[in-house]
Amino acid sequence: MLAPDNATVMFVEDDEQLRLATVQTLELAGLQVLPFDRAAAALGRLTPDFPGVVVSDIRMPGMDGLELLARILAVDGDIPVLLVTGHGDVPMAVAALHDGAFDFIPKPFATERLLAAIRRALDRRALVIENRRLRAAAAAAAQEESPLIGESPAMVRLRAMIGQLAETDVDILLEGETGTGKELVARMLHRSSRRRGKPFVAVNCAALPDGIAEIELFGHAADSVPHTRLSRTGRIASSSGGTLLLDEIDSMPLAMQARLLRVLEEREVQPIGAERPEPVDLRVIATAKEDVAGAVAAGRFRADLYYRLATMRLRVPALRECAGDVFLLFAAFIEEAKQQLGVGDVVLDAAVHAHLAGHGWPGNVRELRNFAFEVAAGRSFAGAEGAGGRADLPARVAKFEENLIRDALLRHGGRVSLALAELGVPRKTLYDKIARFGIDLAEIKRSSRG
């Protein structure tokens, strides 16, 4: 993930020559730099929404780097602070990491080492700021009356159409891919209509049990069905006065389609075994996961029923058509997951952001919601630094130790004997750590020559 355009490196160093040289190096690398010679002056420019990182020397007159670290974290505990000091002060480094420093860089430092640490810190800060923006957007969306979250043109048009159609009493055919939220749209149409106080009856046409589908839909009179003497009201009659949702109507058998057509045309239903039909006050919303006109052409759906239903057609867009809405929806689902799973704050790492931006979401909003629950539960894209967004102390100390060894080897052109003298560890220990950290001595020597 790239840092935003306004990402800034606040560099605090009382040594004028080192400050000027480092600022020049950072600017040549394309970074915006705010230089300061005193910690107090830097602290005065810091705000909780500061979009960058702080790099500070530790040993300075007045407020030192460790006090600056504590003061910065009091302003915003997620601002990455990189501390720089004379080489070899490992106890101070460990203490600083324990107290919340993002990284610790010993002098003299290799330019590549400093730039790599700053870029990692800027990426972290960008993720934190983006996460905060998404949470704020999700909270704002939650205050709105519409549960359809999104600011893409496709979503804006859909909300406008729902508002226009809700007060009409025409039947509606909702078309759209699986997982786009067609049932949610149907419920919104019902809640916004004059029928809002009456029943909303949803029938999954694809799941109607074989053999009793007619009973489910149309009901039956007393003594007209084996094994029962009581009458039964069907789902169609139960929705009278309210809204009948026929979900996945394109899955309904052709024989059942014929009976349904008569109900829609006559606005009356005749239970099995009844002597006469009963009038019903219907508003029908049907959903289909495929192009129903295509199903008509293929002979899988009655043309007359299609034209009766398609008085008004409304298409629910696929998630890939709602550019920019993925992150807003995901943030809302994360908040929902936190409530349902009873988990604390969820920080999204770069892997999650990359998946959100690059995945095609064939399962649409339903797939996105499932992914959000997996992330909130810690079962997916956990990231190397954990759900809290920062690695635990042993991992951070190990990384610091690896960086110390790399810096020493870089300074000495990959010559282990000279690095040994500087680091003060036994030869076997150093070679063991080089192997454990996967340090390539040949690559170190090539980098030093370059």
Side-chain angles (χ1 to χ4, degrees), residues 108-176:
F109 48 78
T111 299
E112 295 80 5
R113 164 82 171 89
L114 177 63
L115 287 172
I118 287 174
R119 287 188 174 115
R120 282 189 291 108
L122 285 172
D123 283 347
R124 168 59 46 72
R125 185 60 176 165
L127 283 170
V128 167
I129 290 174
E130 176 67 2
N131 289 341
R132 289 176 180 175
R133 185 189 71 81
L134 291 174
R135 284 197 295 269
Q143 299 301 313
E144 298 179 1
E145 291 185 5
S146 174
L148 283 176
I149 296 170
E151 296 304 327
S152 64
M155 193 56 65
V156 171
R157 282 195 301 271
L158 179 61
R159 286 198 295 263
M161 287 298 295
I162 291 171
Q164 293 171 17
L165 293 175
E167 288 301 327
T168 70
D169 228 19
V170 297
D171 296 336
I172 297 175
L173 177 62
L174 294 178
E175 295 176 302

Side-chain angles (χ1 to χ4, degrees), residues 9-13 19 23 27 33-37:
V9 179
M10 189 176 283
F11 185 69
V12 189
E13 170 61 67
R19 184 175 67 254
V23 168
E27 289 178 340
V33 187
L34 281 176
F36 297 92
D37 62 354

Side-chain angles (χ1 to χ4, degrees), residues 18 27 42 118 129 181 184-185 195 212 216 220 283 293 346 392 406 438:
L18 179 57
E27 289 178 340
I118 287 174
I129 290 174
L184 174 61
V185 171
R195 298 171 176 266
I212 61 169
E216 285 286 320
H220 61 80
R283 200 261 179 105
V346 179
D392 58 22
R406 285 185 183 275

Side-chain angles (χ1 to χ4, degrees), residues 138-414:
Q143 299 301 313
E144 298 179 1
E145 291 185 5
S146 174
L148 283 176
I149 296 170
E151 296 304 327
S152 64
M155 193 56 65
V156 171
R157 282 195 301 271
L158 179 61
R159 286 198 295 263
M161 287 298 295
I162 291 171
Q164 293 171 17
L165 293 175
E167 288 301 327
T168 70
D169 228 19
V170 297
D171 296 336
I172 297 175
L173 177 62
L174 294 178
E175 295 176 302
E177 297 176 8
T178 297
T180 51
K182 296 186 292 294
E183 182 171 345
L184 174 61
V185 171
R187 290 182 181 277
M188 289 178 63
L189 287 164
H190 173 72
R191 286 200 298 266
S192 301
S193 74
R194 65 174 181 80
R195 298 171 176 266
R196 65 179 66 91
K198 300 295 184 176
F200 177 88
V201 178
V203 178
N204 185 344
C205 299
L208 285 172
D210 291 338
I212 61 169
E214 278 192 298
I215 294 175
E216 285 286 320
L217 284 176
F218 302 102
H220 61 80
D223 296 319
S224 61
V225 172
H227 312 300
T228 179
R229 300 192 60 185
L230 301 176
S231 64
R232 176 173 176 175
T233 302
R235 308 293 292 278
I236 295 174
S238 296
S239 71
S240 185
T243 301
L244 174 66
L245 170 63
L246 296 173
D247 197 20
E248 296 191 27
I249 195 169
D250 44 329
S251 302
M252 181 178 284
L254 286 168
M256 190 70 69
Q257 292 178 27
R259 288 205 62 185
L260 177 63
L261 175 63
R262 178 172 177 79
V263 171
L264 298 183
E265 289 179 336
E266 305 297 333
R267 260 22 188 195
E268 60 183 25
V269 60
Q270 185 163 357
I272 297 171
E275 294 182 358
R276 60 183 64 86
E278 304 168 359
V280 286
D281 175 14
L282 289 181
R283 200 261 179 105
V284 176
I285 300 175
T287 75
K289 62 180 181 296
E290 66 170 309
D291 178 11
V292 184
V296 170
R300 296 191 306 272
F301 201 85
R302 291 181 63 103
D304 46 6
L305 177 58
Y306 168 67
Y307 291 118
R308 183 66 184 78
L309 284 171
T311 305
M312 181 61 64
R313 296 170 64 189
L314 182 59
R315 184 175 173 276
V316 183
L319 188 54
R320 63 181 175 275
E321 300 169 41
C322 303
D325 291 345
V326 169
F327 287 90
L328 290 176
L329 283 162
F330 182 78
F333 291 145
I334 283 288
E335 293 303 311
E336 180 187 352
K338 284 165 56 179
Q339 295 293 323
Q340 291 194 21
L341 301 177
V343 299
D345 202 14
V346 179
V347 177
L348 312 183
D349 62 19
V352 172
H353 277 260
H355 186 69
L356 290 172
H359 188 56
W361 304 107
N364 293 294
V365 178
R366 185 180 300 145
E367 180 186 1
L368 180 63
R369 181 178 182 274
N370 291 343
F371 177 64
F373 272 71
E374 290 175 357
V375 171
R379 293 197 299 268
S380 181
F381 289 82
E385 297 190 347
R390 176 172 287 157
D392 58 22
L393 184 59
R396 297 172 70 204
V397 172
K399 187 65 179 176
F400 169 62
E401 188 177 34
E402 177 188 348
N403 289 332
L404 278 179
I405 295 171
R406 285 185 183 275
D407 288 345
L409 289 168
L410 277 169
R411 278 192 295 275
H412 297 296

Side-chain angles (χ1 to χ4, degrees), residues 5-83:
D5 293 338
N6 61 342
T8 304
V9 179
M10 189 176 283
F11 185 69
V12 189
E13 170 61 67
D14 63 309
D15 185 317
E16 183 177 7
Q17 289 187 339
L18 179 57
R19 184 175 67 254
L20 292 175
T22 306
V23 168
Q24 184 179 36
T25 298
L26 297 179
E27 289 178 340
L28 286 173
L31 299 171
Q32 298 183 53
V33 187
L34 281 176
F36 297 92
D37 62 354
R38 292 291 186 272
L43 191 63
R45 293 286 299 275
L46 210 64
T47 60
D49 58 353
F50 175 62
V53 303
V54 178
V55 181
S56 174
D57 192 12
I58 284 188
R59 301 191 183 280
M60 296 182 294
M63 185 189 305
D64 66 14
L66 293 178
E67 183 180 352
L68 176 61
L69 168 65
R71 300 278 291 274
I72 290 173
L73 297 182
V75 173
D76 182 348
D78 291 319
I79 295 177
V81 180
L82 291 77
L83 294 176

